[in-house]
Amino acid sequence: MASRDQHSQQQNQTRKVPLFPLLSLVCFVSIFLLISSIRKTSVPPRPHNASFEFQKTEGSNPSLRGGSCDYSDGSWIRSPDDPPRYDNTCKEIFKGWNCISSGKSNGRELLKWRWKPKGCDLPPFHPIRFLKMYRDTSIGFVGDSLNRNMFVSLFCSLKRVSSEVKKWRPAGADRGFTFLQSNLTLAYHRTNLLARYGRWSADANGGVLESLGYKEGYRVDVDIPDGTWAEALSFHDILIFNTGHWWWAPSKFDPTKSPMLFFEKGRPVVPPVLPDVGLDMVLKHMVMLIENRTKAGAIKFFRTQSPRHFEGGDWDQGGSCNRLNPLLVEQVEDLFSVKNNGTNVEARLVNQHLYKSLKGSSFQILNITHMSEFRADAHPSTAGGKKHDDCMHWCLPGLTDTWNDLFIKQLNVIKSRN
C-alpha cells in the first residue's frame, strides 16, 4: 500500500509544470498581439499640407475642387517654354512690384515655373474666353495690398487682349477699370482689417479704457465695415476678400504704445482682448454682414493668407529673401511650421482663424497658401524700392498670375453648374 502511494506521488510530481514561465509567455504574446492590432487600426499621420488644406465651407459643392483633384496641393515644375501672359510694360503694375523693370536678377527666371497639382493640371486661364464668358459682370477685390497684387495681375492679363478700357472708381473703390467691349468691370477696394478703425485718444473726462490706464491706440469697430467697401456688396457680382497681414503687425499696432482697442455696438470690449481674439470677432461680424448684404446670386470667395519669406529676422530686423529658386518641401516646413513659431508663422495662424469663421457660410475658399509657401524666390526683395527687403508682396508678372488661374478655375466650375 505504501509503495502504491509513493508511486502515485512520483507520477504527480512528473506531471507538474512550473507556472511562472508559462504565465510570462502568455503575457508576452498577448501584449505583442495587442500592439500589432493598434498599429494596424490607427490612422497614419497626415502630411503637413493636409493639416492646412482648407476644404470648402459646409454646404458648398466638393466638385469645386475639380472632382478628386486638390488644386492647392502639388509642386512647382520647370516650364521655360510657357509664353508670358503680359510683360513689365503694363502701367498698372506698382513700381515696387515690377521686378523686371527694377532689375531683379531672377525677374524673368521666376516666370519659368508652373504649378502642377497632384493628379491633375492647372492650365493658365484664357483671357479672351474669360472676357466673353463674364460679359456684363463686375468683380471686386476687397482687402489689403496683397489683394491689390492679385487684382493687378488679372487686369494686366486682360488688358493685353482688350485695350479699350475706362478707368474709374466704382462703389468707393481705390482703383477700377471697365473693359468696354465686354462691359467687364474689375475694382480693388483697399481695407486693412475689413472693419472700420482709426486713431483713439483718451478722453479728458475719463472712461472705461481710461480707467484701465489706456492713453492712446487704435479703435477697431468689430461690427462696422470699412467705408471703402461697404457699398461694394450691392454692386459686384463676384467678390474676393482677404485680411490677415495687419493683424500680426506690431510695428503698426504696437501692443504698448498704440494697441488695437476693440469696440462692439459702440462700446469698448472689456476686458480688452488680444488681436487674435479681435480677428475672430471681426470675421464673425463681417461674414454675417456680407452674407446678408450681397446682391442676389453673387459669388463670394475668401482668399487664404499669402505667406511671407523673411529669413534672418523680420522686415524691420534685417530679414531678407535672396533665394533664386522655389523652396524644397523640407525648407517650407522649416519656415512655416506653427510648431517652430518662426518669423513667417502668421500665414498658417491666420488661416486657422479664417477656416473657423467661414465654416457653415456660403463662401468659397481660394486656397493659395501652400502653393505660395514654396516661392521664396518670387518677392521683390531688394528691388522693391524700400529701405528694407520686400519679402511680403510678389513680383509682377509672377506668382499671383497662378492665383488667378486657380480663382478662374473655381469660378468656371460654379458658372457651369449654374
Side-chain angles (χ1 to χ4, degrees):
M1 188 78 173
S3 64
R4 272 205 308 266
D5 289 342
Q6 185 177 7
H7 178 70
S8 175
Q9 286 175 1
Q10 287 175 349
Q11 281 186 324
N12 289 337
Q13 286 175 355
T14 59
R15 288 172 188 166
K16 287 181 182 179
V17 178
L19 290 178
F20 180 78
L22 180 61
L23 289 174
S24 299
L25 179 62
V26 171
C27 290
F28 176 80
V29 171
S30 300
I31 292 171
F32 176 82
L33 291 174
L34 179 62
I35 292 174
S36 300
S37 174
I38 291 173
R39 282 179 176 172
K40 288 179 182 178
T41 57
S42 63
V43 179
R46 295 195 299 174
H48 130 263
N49 58 302
S51 301
F52 295 92
E53 177 185 316
F54 295 90
Q55 310 295 337
K56 293 295 167 190
T57 49
E58 289 180 2
S60 62
N61 195 321
S63 67
L64 286 177
R65 298 175 66 209
S68 61
C69 182
D70 178 5
Y71 287 95
S72 66
D73 185 17
S75 58
W76 290 92
I77 62 173
R78 286 278 297 171
S79 188
D81 299 326
D82 288 351
R85 313 159 186 245
Y86 57 93
D87 59 28
N88 55 308
T89 62
C90 180
K91 294 182 179 179
E92 188 61 16
I93 300 176
F94 179 65
K95 183 179 179 181
W97 306 340
N98 198 326
C99 296
I100 295 175
S101 295
S102 299
K104 189 171 190 277
S105 62
N106 69 330
R108 296 185 187 275
E109 191 67 21
L110 64 85
L111 305 177
K112 297 179 181 179
W113 294 89
R114 180 168 60 86
W115 179 248
K116 178 66 174 69
K118 291 181 179 177
C120 59
D121 217 354
L122 181 64
F125 84 95
H126 196 288
I128 295 177
R129 192 179 304 149
F130 181 80
L131 286 165
K132 290 180 179 179
M133 188 178 295
Y134 294 95
R135 179 180 296 276
D136 302 323
T137 301
S138 182
I139 302 174
F141 291 81
V142 179
D144 56 35
S145 55
L146 273 300
N147 247 16
R148 181 182 174 185
N149 224 167
M150 185 178 176
F151 158 78
V152 173
S153 164
L154 182 56
F155 170 79
C156 290
S157 296
L158 299 178
K159 180 70 161 53
R160 186 169 188 179
V161 300
S162 182
S163 58
E164 294 184 27
V165 177
K166 171 190 173 184
K167 185 176 182 179
W168 64 306
R169 299 171 64 185
D174 185 68
R175 310 186 72 76
F177 301 92
T178 296
F179 292 86
L180 299 178
Q181 291 183 347
S182 59
N183 193 34
L184 169 70
T185 296
L186 299 181
Y188 165 62
H189 301 259
R190 179 178 176 83
T191 174
N192 297 326
L193 306 177
L194 291 182
R196 185 180 72 181
Y197 78 99
R199 294 289 307 188
W200 176 89
S201 297
D203 192 317
N205 297 321
V208 176
L209 292 176
E210 290 83 350
S211 67
L212 295 174
Y214 289 96
K215 296 181 179 179
E216 61 180 349
Y218 283 89
R219 171 174 172 160
V220 181
D221 287 281
V222 299
D223 49 356
I224 301 176
D226 197 340
T228 58
W229 65 274
E231 297 178 18
L233 300 179
S234 59
F235 183 87
H236 295 299
D237 305 293
I238 301 165
L239 289 151
I240 305 99
F241 293 88
N242 98 287
T243 192
H245 288 286
W246 285 64
W247 291 90
W248 268 260
S251 60
K252 295 179 172 61
F253 301 111
D254 187 288
T256 303
K257 297 178 181 178
S258 53
M260 301 171 85
L261 301 170
F262 298 98
F263 283 67
E264 189 173 26
K265 296 180 180 180
R267 297 181 179 180
V269 175
V270 178
V273 297
L274 295 174
D276 60 332
V277 178
L279 173 59
D280 287 336
M281 296 177 72
V282 166
L283 288 171
K284 173 187 173 183
H285 282 287
M286 294 303 109
V287 167
M288 189 182 306
L289 180 142
I290 294 165
E291 295 272 59
N292 292 333
R293 293 191 188 179
T294 46
K295 61 196 298 186
I299 301 171
K300 305 176 292 294
F301 288 86
F302 214 109
R303 177 178 60 72
T304 60
Q305 185 74 346
S306 173
R308 309 180 310 153
H309 287 88
F310 287 99
E311 296 185 71
D314 213 327
W315 69 270
D316 57 347
Q317 301 168 342
S320 61
C321 45
N322 300 319
R323 295 181 185 267
L324 300 179
N325 290 298
L327 297 175
L328 302 175
V329 173
E330 55 270 23
Q331 293 172 322
V332 166
E333 193 61 19
D334 286 342
L335 273 182
F336 296 104
S337 170
V338 173
K339 189 193 319 182
N340 292 344
N341 195 30
T343 301
N344 308 289
V345 71
E346 109 215 354
R348 297 186 182 184
L349 291 176
V350 168
N351 282 351
Q352 291 175 355
H353 291 271
L354 293 182
Y355 184 52
K356 180 176 67 174
S357 298
L358 293 169
K359 187 176 182 180
S361 75
S362 63
F363 277 82
Q364 307 298 329
I365 302 291
L366 187 64
N367 187 357
I368 56 82
T369 303
H370 184 54
M371 68 164 63
S372 306
E373 286 178 338
F374 291 93
R375 297 310 303 271
D377 60 317
H379 297 284
S381 187
T382 56
K386 299 175 179 283
K387 294 181 180 179
H388 57 82
D389 279 21
D390 186 351
C391 304
M392 180 172 72
H393 300 99
W394 303 98
C395 295
L396 290 176
L399 173 67
T400 50
D401 302 335
T402 304
W403 293 5
N404 279 310
D405 292 337
L406 181 60
F407 160 56
I408 293 169
K409 177 71 177 179
Q410 291 187 206
L411 191 59
N412 288 345
V413 172
I414 297 170
K415 186 174 178 66
S416 65
R417 185 205 303 153
N418 293 340

